[in-house]
């Protein structure tokens, strides 16, 4: 399997585990990866989740989610968390 195909496969498995709420499975998957592949897999899984959300949620719901995520990040930054 090519490295690109492996990356897509692993990111897809991580996304599926997250959607199932399988935190242990996700952790085990990430712990089996070489250190240099963990960040790329996480990035791929985040992008896959964003694509899924954009495909199934209306634009106003996406905008509300973006605003809420930014507010949480801002609060965490100003509170020193």
């Amino acid at each position: 399997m090519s490295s690109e195909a492996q990356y897509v496969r692993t990111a897809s498995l991580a996304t599926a585990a997250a959607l199932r709420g399988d935190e242990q499975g996700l952790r085990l998957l990430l712990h089996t990866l070489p250190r240099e592949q963990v960040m790329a897999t996480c990035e791929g899984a985040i992008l896959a989740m964003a694509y899924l959300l954009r495909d199934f949620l209306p634009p106003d719901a996406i905008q509300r989610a973006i605003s809420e995520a930014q507010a949480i990040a801002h609060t965490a930054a100003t509170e020193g968390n």
Side-chain angles (χ1 to χ4, degrees), residues 8 16 32 46 54 57 66 76 81:
V8 170
T32 63
I46 291 167
R54 284 196 302 265
L57 292 177
I66 291 168
N81 291 332

Side-chain angles (χ1 to χ4, degrees), residues 11-44:
S12 297
L13 289 172
T15 302
L19 287 170
R20 282 192 312 272
D22 184 2
E23 294 177 22
Q24 183 178 3
L26 180 57
R27 276 191 216 99
L28 289 171
L29 175 67
L30 293 175
H31 283 285
T32 63
L33 295 175
R35 185 180 176 122
E36 64 274 3
Q37 290 181 8
V38 172
M39 189 168 85
T41 298
C42 291
E43 179 183 331

